[in-house]
Amino acid sequence: TFFLWCINFIALELERPFGSGDNDLPMEQMQNDFNKSMATLLCKTGNTPPTFNYDPQKHWKLERTMWSGGFFPEEPEDAQER
């Protein structure tokens, strides 16, 4: 019966995730983070993503790291100097 009471108390905690207890969700912090995200999206600078210019000489390591299947792209000529 001890096992069943434990399961019951766990279920009660899962049914009530909002509050000020130790195991409750941090709703105030989550709301603050959401408000900051919304304010950022409403800002004029938040409406456009930053630009990205791909440079094969500069980003070859990133390609090599992210490539899957055991095949790596060829290194640029100046890769030996790095």
Side-chain angles (χ1 to χ4, degrees), residues 59-75:
H59 298 104
W60 74 273
K61 276 189 176 180
L62 180 64
E63 278 183 18
R64 189 172 185 171
T65 304
M66 295 178 66
W67 198 267
S68 62
F71 173 77
F72 298 107
E74 293 181 19
E75 295 180 7

Side-chain angles (χ1 to χ4, degrees), residues 8-82:
N8 185 42
F9 283 119
I10 291 172
L12 289 174
E13 283 292 322
L14 292 174
E15 287 179 358
R16 295 177 284 130
F18 311 110
S20 59
D22 289 338
N23 293 328
D24 293 336
L25 294 173
M27 292 307 296
E28 186 175 342
Q29 178 186 358
M30 292 170 71
Q31 184 66 48
N32 289 335
D33 290 343
F34 181 76
N35 290 345
K36 287 179 186 177
S37 297
M38 290 301 292
T40 301
L41 289 174
L42 293 173
C43 258
K44 195 168 240 183
T45 57
N47 290 330
T48 55
T51 58
F52 177 76
N53 296 322
Y54 178 74
D55 180 16
Q57 296 294 325
K58 184 177 178 182
H59 298 104
W60 74 273
K61 276 189 176 180
L62 180 64
E63 278 183 18
R64 189 172 185 171
T65 304
M66 295 178 66
W67 198 267
S68 62
F71 173 77
F72 298 107
E74 293 181 19
E75 295 180 7
E77 296 85 40
D78 66 340
Q80 303 301 331
E81 299 171 7
R82 294 179 191 175

